Each structure stands twice: as structure tokens, then as C-alpha cells.
Amino acid sequence: MTVVERFLKYVSFDTQSDENSATTPSTPSQWLLAECLEAEMEAMGLEDISLDEHAYLMATLPATTDEKVPVVGFIAHLDTSPDMSGENVKPRIVSNYDGKDIVLNKAEKIVLSPNLFPELLHHVGEDLIVTDGTTLLGADDKAGIAEIMTAIDYLKSHPEIPHGKIRIAFNPDEEIGCGAHLFDVKKFGCEWAYTIDGSELGELEYENFNAAAATVCIKGLNVHPGYAKDKMLNASLIARDFIAMLPDEETPANTSGYEGFYHLTGMSGTVEEATLSYIIRDHDAKKFEQRLAVLQALTEKLNKNYPADTVTLHIKQQYRNMREIVEPQKHIIDLARQAMLEAGITPVVRPIRGGTDGAQLSFKGLPCPNIFAGGLNFHGRYEFVPIRSMEKAVEVIINIAKSIKK
Ligand SMILES: [Zn+2]
């Protein structure tokens, strides 16, 4: 099967995950894709195939050489985003894209236009797979799955190509931030791995945010407003003061690249009590700690102006930048970079303004940078994937497998 045939098959499974579910996988439909892949692995003749009780699927491509080289893994996720339906996806191939608007759905007037998505223009002359405008495509991350399966199939049927033992894994629930939680790193048994879950051709990512969530709780004192002078403490107004003391320019809407931020994600308040919810993000660990210290200092400052314990701050650490794990092992990045150059692709290393499963896996002992899968405009009806990008990802995986050295 070609990478395109595989991709079209995998997107026919609706594997939307559900953040309100308490089980793993969060939706039973993810099992169906996992079981289909398990059967394909068996047909391919892979070894140590295991599908555990939470739909984590792993398998081994045995070594073709006696040379002792590190065991390396490739990982992709089964689920698609809860943001948009993945049911009854009707993919369509646009051949030799001409650089103009693509009408996805005539009846509903849904158009994929380079005016809104200029990245389309990087793929003029290529064949693109698009949606019919009513669902997402699921290239995130079924392109990744198709690419890994195609590369492994190729290596399996070319035993004359020398390579070490390769492991592959497909996990559920990445889109709801749970893909790495139950990932059995020990069982996977790799020295390092790559998630094939990036976007545009050439992407290579190993820096993500350090992340925490902060909740600011404010206690007020309600008194009849007619008799409130020097008595009332309005929690909502104190919340306003807290917000005003954080720098306006350090918000998501005013930052990019390596710039971190304080992001007010929610607020609620009465006179009696008010709550502010923030997420804090920064690539730089030191600056990240400083941001948390700023929140602490603001809390203390307000507690000096008002009765003690008027403001309380709760900080929950979320994830950390994998750079500190990956960078000291530069060969992991160099190998991916070299594999791309050999495939005629210019590697594009950019910091991720978010987190990845790879970050969590890195801190669980499996350094895990992210490589492009080729899809663009993830999580919505405008998602598309250039076929050439998928083919190049297959090449990159094969090149990595071939060049792992002691
Ligand atoms: Zn993804």
C-alpha cells in the first residue's frame, strides 16, 4: 500500500477524542483504528506486537544487522481533535494545484483560499488532499501513522538494507493532552524516539514551552452598599487590580517566537469572591520561574494593602521544555537533520508555542523531538496535506533508520 492509500484508509475511521471522558482511550472508536493497525502489523510480519488495555499499540521491526546500535522509535497518535468532527471524512485529491481558491463545498460555499491560508502557495504544482468542508481531514496525525507504517513496510520488504531494531508506537488521546500519560516508556525500550506529528515539510521541533496554570482566589467583604464606607471589600475590584498589574504586552496576542506570556483564560467575580485563571508560558526556564515569582509578589503586595489572605495563589505545573533533555544529546537532532538533508529537504527548527507528547515523554526518560507529518491547518475543515510532504516524511523515517550509528 502506498502512503496515500494508507492515509485514505485511516481517515475513514472516526477517532475524535473527548476531553470530558474519564477513560483511556477517551472514545471507544479509537480502538477500531488501533485494531486495524494491529492486523496490518501482523500481516507485515512485525514482532512483539502489543495492544494494551488503553489502546497503546507497539511493535518491533527487527534488526537486519548484527552491529549493536541504539534502539530508536517512531510515534504517532490515533486520535483527532475534539474541535471538529472527524466522522465520515470525505477526502478529495486536488491534482497539480494551480495556486487558486479550492472550492471544498459548493453547496455550503466553503472555500480553501490562499488569501486566508498563504501556506497553500508553497505547494503549487503538487497534489493536495483536502476535505469536503464538513469535517477535519485527520492528517493530524493519520499522516504520521501512514508515513510510519509505509516506511516500516518498505524496510521490512527490503531486508538487504542494514538497520538496527526499530520500535513503533501509536497512542490514543494526544489531542486532549493525555497521549503520554499511560505510555509505557520502559516497555517501548528505546534510547530515543521521534513523534511524527509536526506540520509543514521540514519541521523539526525540540523546544516547547515551560507551562503552568495559576488560579488567583480573592476574598471580599460584602456590606450593604449604603453603609459600606471604609468597610466593604469588593473582590471583583481587587481582581481588576491584579489584572492591571500584569504587563499588557506579555499576552498571547502580543508575543511570538521565544516570547513568553501571562494568559488570562477566565475570570468570575462577585463582591464576596473573585477568581482569575491564568496560564503561564515561557521557553526559558529562568524567565518562566520569574513569571511565577511575579504572580507571587503581586499576591503578597495585595495582601499588604488588604487584610492578610485576601488573595491566595495556586500554581499547578503543567509541562516543561524538552530542550533541556534533548539538547545535551545533540546526535538525536543531528540524525533527523541529516535524514532530511538526504531527502532534499531543508530542516526548519522552530520553537513550539505549546507542548507536545514528546515533551512529556522526554521527561519520562524517552527524549523525543517532533518531525513534520506534512499536514496544514490542523483541527479544522481547512486542513489539507500535500502528498509530496507525506512521501518525504516516509523518506526521512527510512533515512533515520538506515543511519543510526553506535
Ligand atoms: Zn497531532
Side-chain angles (χ1 to χ4, degrees), residues 182-245:
L182 296 173
F183 194 107
D184 190 339
V185 165
K186 205 170 156 223
K187 180 170 144 193
F188 197 42
C190 294
E191 267 186 50
W192 73 86
Y194 302 93
T195 48
I196 309 294
D197 190 22
S199 184
E200 180 65 285
L201 184 74
E203 267 183 14
L204 174 57
E205 302 167 317
Y206 63 96
E207 296 176 74
N208 58 282
F209 275 145
N210 294 291
T215 311
V216 183
C217 300
I218 300 156
K219 267 193 313 212
L221 178 66
N222 201 2
V223 180
H224 186 289
Y227 308 92
K229 188 159 193 323
D230 300 328
K231 291 192 188 76
M232 181 193 279
L233 218 50
N234 189 330
S236 293
L237 292 179
I238 298 171
R240 173 205 60 186
D241 292 346
F242 193 100
I243 295 169
M245 285 191 288

Side-chain angles (χ1 to χ4, degrees), residues 77 140-141 174-175 197:
H77 63 88
D140 177 12
D141 189 21
E174 189 271 350
E175 298 290 358
D197 190 22

